């Protein structure tokens, strides 16, 4: 019902221009903006009226969003295909949850380990992992460098490209390096091959002492023990924590080592503040819900297929791959919970670039291309403003204005129609607290969209299939060639 009402409403506003709405309504900015804790969201540059938001919220009600939020936080098996809950929010909850005791026990053990490492001989930390076991640590250790309380240097090995691994090895000293092998499943081929190579390299340098330089974060401790990593150096990531939502667990160990346990607690508290807001605010004042509804509005009613993430902050440059995984791995689905084919589009293609660089690469397409691509501009305020901050902020705002305003036909050789939507997200400083809140904001946006599209946001069968095919093809590179003509032909080419 609301879906049809939204489609009808879209027709009535499709020809209206945002610049006319701004000219006619001085309240538009205050009406379509809100502040939650450290985060300010301006969503006034969207193709929406009050009626649009009302209909979108009705649609959310109709899809029983409140009940689904309660089920999610309450630990129901929202991951329907794998029949388990998605309880990453419990990792930052101060209230009692079914898994509270396990979390407290393991966090105490982790924090003790963090102190030991910070006081010990280590100078280099190498995180070995991929996907969710890599992108969260990468993003957060870059974003929160100013909060480092230890001089440790952080390195990341994710893909199997030997050049990337060798590059890290040239920068470290075996005696003072700690390797964190992060893999929830401990079956991910890239991580296992990199680990084997690193153990071999370390053994050549340090002999039997080598294995003492390895710790593991995994849901399969027995597999880590099989590599001789002792139990006291294995930290859990539970089944109920999805890889792409795991930065709040022991997967966040690199961040804990860098900023210390107090700051890590602040990171968790920032996320928890967003959780509280998400659980209790009315939909029309609920930041993750509003952002999710805007996404649905464009994808399903304006045929948008992509979404730009534009952090005008170098510190947040790895937010882009982080959100690519979070969003596309969660909602890149074409069947619903009942395993029926969907008749509508789901997750957008997420892309982006930090700072003004994108203005000189793909922004032309955003301004004048044939597709409508909404943008999230993210800007971090700096207490001691300087001319670079001013230019950076002015750049983001002028891009948002140009996208919205466009240029009338008689002013431009080729028409710049404008009317292109964007959000502006302002962070009051980049801190562990505000970063935690920002990541939780996007997590919940993605969750809401999954609910409204009726897809399971917590499985990833497509990726699993790729993981299964890899060993078969790998075997063919040195063994009997089988498979279809394309595989056989390419394997022959490769072996030549
Ligand atoms: O990319 C697919 C995936 O399964 C992700 O969900 C996960 O974050 C990544 O692989 C790494 O998995 P693991 O932590 O089990 O090595």
């Amino acid at each position: 019902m609301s879906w049809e009402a939204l489609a009808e409403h879209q027709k009535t506003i499709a020809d209206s221009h945002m610049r006319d709405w701004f000219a006619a309504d001085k309240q538009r900015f205050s009406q379509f903006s809100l502040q939650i804790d450290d985060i300010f969201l301006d969503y006034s540059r969207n193709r929406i009226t009050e009626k649009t938001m009302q209909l979108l919220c009705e649609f959310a009600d109709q899809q029983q969003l409140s009940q689904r939020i309660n089920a999610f936080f309450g630990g129901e098996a929202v991951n329907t295909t794998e029949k388990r809950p998605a309880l990453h929010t419990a990792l930052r909850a101060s209230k009692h949850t079914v898994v509270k005791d396990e979390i407290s026990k393991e966090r105490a053990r982790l924090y003790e380990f963090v102190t030991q490492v910070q006081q010990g001989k280590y100078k280099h930390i190498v995180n070995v992992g991929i996907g969710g076991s890599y992108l969260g640590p990468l993003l957060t250790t870059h974003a929160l460098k100013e909060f480092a309380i230890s001089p440790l240097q952080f390195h990341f090995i994710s893909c199997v490209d030997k050049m990337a691994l060798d590059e890290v090895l040239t920068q470290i000293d075996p005696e003072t390096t700690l390797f964190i092998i992060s893999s929830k499943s401990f079956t991910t081929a890239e991580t296992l091959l990199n680990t084997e190579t690193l153990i071999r390299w370390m053994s050549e340098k340090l002999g039997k002492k080598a294995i003492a330089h390895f710790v593991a974060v995994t849901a399969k401790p027995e597999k880590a023990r099989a590599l001789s990593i002792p139990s006291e150096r294995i930290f859990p990531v539970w089944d109920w924590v999805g890889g792409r939502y795991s930065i709040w667990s022991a997967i966040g160990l690199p961040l804990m080592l860098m900023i210390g346990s107090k700051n890590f607690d602040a990171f968790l508290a920032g996320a928890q503040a967003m959780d509280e807001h998400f659980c209790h605010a009315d939909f029309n004042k609920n930041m993750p819900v509003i952002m999710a509804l805007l996404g649905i509005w464009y994808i399903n009613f304006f045929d948008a297929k992509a979404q730009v993430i534009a952090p005008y902050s170098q510190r947040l440059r790895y937010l882009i791959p982080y959100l690519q995984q979070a969003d596309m791995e969660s909602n890149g689905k074409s069947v619903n919970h009942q395993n029926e084919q969907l008749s509508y589009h789901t997750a957008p293609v997420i892309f982006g670039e930090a700072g003004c660089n994108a203005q000189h690469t793909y922004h032309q397409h955003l301004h004048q291309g044939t597709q409508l691509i909404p943008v999230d501009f993210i800007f971090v305020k700096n207490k001691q403003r300087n001319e670079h901050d001013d230019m950076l902020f002015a750049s983001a705002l002028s891009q948002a204005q140009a996208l919205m305003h466009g240029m009338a036909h008689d002013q431009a050789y080729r028409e710049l129609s404008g009317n292109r939507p964007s959000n502006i997200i302002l962070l009051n400083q980049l801190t562990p607290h505000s970063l935690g809140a920002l990541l939780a904001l996007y997590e919940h946006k993605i969750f809401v969209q999954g609910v409204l599209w009726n897809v399971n946001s917590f499985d990833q069968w497509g990726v699993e299939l790729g993981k299964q095919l890899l060993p078969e093809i790998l075997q063919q590179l040195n063994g009997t060639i089988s498979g279809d003509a394309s595989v056989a032909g390419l394997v022959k080419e490769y072996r030549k």
Side-chain angles (χ1 to χ4, degrees):
M1 212 355 212
S2 310
W3 188 271
E4 284 78 42
L6 279 161
E8 275 308 306
H9 172 67
Q10 194 273 351
K11 284 184 209 149
T12 66
I13 64 130
D15 293 332
S16 306
H17 204 292
M18 283 189 273
R19 65 178 171 232
D20 298 328
W21 287 337
F22 270 102
D25 180 6
K26 298 285 168 259
Q27 303 305 315
R28 190 171 168 85
F29 173 73
S30 51
Q31 187 185 7
F32 295 128
S33 59
L34 78 158
Q35 173 97 45
I36 302 303
D37 222 337
D38 292 328
I39 303 181
F40 182 82
L41 169 68
D42 166 16
Y43 62 104
S44 59
R45 281 176 210 77
N46 278 291
R47 308 266 295 261
I48 53 166
T49 62
E50 207 177 325
K51 176 86 181 159
T52 320
M53 292 315 291
Q54 182 205 320
L55 288 172
L56 285 166
C57 289
E58 276 173 30
F59 172 56
D61 277 332
Q62 203 177 65
Q63 298 300 109
Q64 306 197 315
L65 178 58
S66 294
Q67 290 90 320
R68 298 294 297 279
I69 293 173
N70 289 339
F72 166 48
F73 277 84
E76 286 183 30
V78 290
N79 180 349
T80 46
T81 51
E82 291 165 317
K83 300 188 175 40
R84 58 188 184 213
L87 266 175
H88 47 278
T89 53
L91 291 160
R92 58 230 190 184
S94 51
K95 286 192 218 131
H96 187 77
T97 64
V98 274
V99 284
K100 181 101 187 114
D101 294 343
E102 282 174 81
I103 295 171
S104 309
K105 189 176 121 216
E106 291 301 337
R107 182 138 323 124
R109 205 160 74 81
L110 260 175
Y111 282 178
E112 206 181 296
F113 179 69
V114 166
T115 312
Q116 273 173 32
V117 173
Q118 284 170 342
Q119 292 169 351
K121 61 183 175 182
Y122 294 113
K123 292 197 173 111
H124 299 275
I125 305 293
V126 181
N127 190 85
V128 185
I130 199 162
S133 302
Y134 158 58
L135 294 167
L138 179 77
L139 156 67
T140 54
T141 53
H142 275 82
L144 297 176
K145 270 204 175 113
E146 261 100 48
F147 292 83
I149 58 161
S150 73
L152 292 166
Q153 285 180 41
F154 294 85
H155 311 266
F156 294 88
I157 297 176
S158 52
C159 171
V160 276
D161 190 330
K162 185 73 173 18
M163 246 172 100
L165 185 142
D166 286 342
E167 224 173 85
V168 171
L169 295 187
T170 59
Q171 296 167 46
I172 61 170
D173 157 31
E175 287 285 355
T176 57
T177 299
L178 178 73
F179 294 89
I180 303 173
I181 311 301
S182 272
S183 177
K184 181 179 164 185
S185 61
F186 233 80
T187 55
T188 305
E190 294 93 330
T191 304
L192 293 187
L193 178 58
N194 283 330
T195 302
E196 269 172 37
T197 305
L198 290 167
I199 292 181
R200 210 178 316 119
W201 185 82
M202 283 293 280
S203 301
E204 280 161 17
K205 309 278 175 198
L206 302 181
K208 285 210 169 88
K209 288 190 303 173
I211 204 69
H213 289 249
F214 286 80
V215 301
V217 178
T218 183
K220 302 282 178 219
E222 66 288 355
K223 291 189 195 284
R225 278 194 293 269
L227 293 181
S228 304
I229 300 176
S231 297
E232 64 275 15
R233 285 178 159 245
I234 301 173
F235 299 99
V237 45
W238 296 274
D239 261 357
W240 38 263
V241 182
R244 51 194 174 270
Y245 302 104
S246 62
I247 184 60
W248 323 99
S249 70
I251 296 286
L253 182 55
L255 179 65
M256 294 175 209
L257 288 168
M258 189 178 91
I259 63 174
S261 52
K262 262 203 189 135
N263 280 324
F264 193 80
D265 281 344
F267 174 65
L268 298 174
Q272 199 202 355
M274 187 54 73
D275 295 343
E276 288 292 317
H277 163 72
F278 176 53
C279 287
H280 299 115
D282 291 344
F283 292 162
N284 61 356
K285 291 275 168 264
N286 192 314
M287 206 180 269
V289 173
I290 290 171
M291 285 178 62
L293 293 175
L294 291 170
I296 297 225
W297 182 230
Y298 296 120
I299 292 165
N300 300 118
F301 299 94
F302 284 82
D303 204 25
K305 297 195 171 61
Q307 164 76 55
V308 168
I309 301 294
Y312 273 59
S313 160
Q314 199 57 14
R315 285 268 182 260
L316 288 178
R317 65 191 181 279
Y318 295 117
L319 182 64
I320 299 151
Y322 182 84
L323 291 181
Q324 283 176 322
Q325 188 199 13
D327 200 325
M328 295 202 273
E329 204 170 84
S330 297
N331 289 339
K333 310 282 161 68
S334 53
V335 293
N336 61 17
H337 279 285
Q338 294 71 40
N339 213 18
E340 296 156 347
Q341 198 69 35
L342 300 180
S343 57
Y344 44 83
H345 286 299
T346 58
V349 173
I350 304 276
F351 68 101
E353 165 72 60
C356 326
N357 292 340
Q359 290 168 214
H360 304 278
T361 52
Y362 56 76
H363 272 219
Q364 166 58 31
H365 186 292
L366 304 183
H367 289 292
Q368 257 191 305
T370 51
Q371 296 190 35
L372 180 111
I373 305 179
V375 183
D376 280 356
F377 291 99
I378 303 168
F379 185 80
V380 180
K381 291 200 266 177
N382 193 353
K383 263 193 183 157
Q384 281 87 40
R385 258 174 59 190
N386 59 41
E387 58 195 321
H388 288 264
D389 298 315
D390 288 356
M391 171 88 96
L392 205 52
F393 180 63
S395 299
L397 187 51
S398 57
Q399 286 301 305
Q401 277 300 90
L403 285 166
M404 185 273 281
H405 230 270
M407 209 183 244
H409 192 62
D410 53 350
Q411 288 174 272
Y413 177 59
R414 296 255 182 258
E415 189 173 6
L416 271 152
S417 57
N419 223 6
R420 293 172 187 243
S422 64
N423 291 319
I424 296 194
I425 295 171
L426 286 183
L427 256 64
N428 275 340
Q429 291 186 72
L430 189 55
T431 61
H433 193 276
S434 68
L435 183 65
L438 181 71
L439 300 191
L441 166 64
Y442 274 100
E443 277 182 4
H444 296 324
K445 170 200 162 169
I446 293 163
F447 171 79
V448 170
Q449 293 188 330
V451 168
L452 300 185
W453 285 321
N454 191 23
V455 298
N456 180 359
S457 302
F458 300 106
D459 63 6
Q460 60 283 319
W461 294 105
V463 190
E464 305 303 337
L465 175 62
K467 283 184 174 180
Q468 280 164 28
L469 291 182
L470 174 68
E472 275 174 42
I473 295 187
L474 203 51
Q475 224 171 18
Q476 291 184 44
L477 301 186
N478 297 306
T480 317
I481 298 176
S482 57
D484 65 28
S486 167
V487 173
L490 281 170
V491 171
K492 273 186 204 148
E493 280 301 316
Y494 177 80
R495 277 165 52 154
K496 264 182 200 168

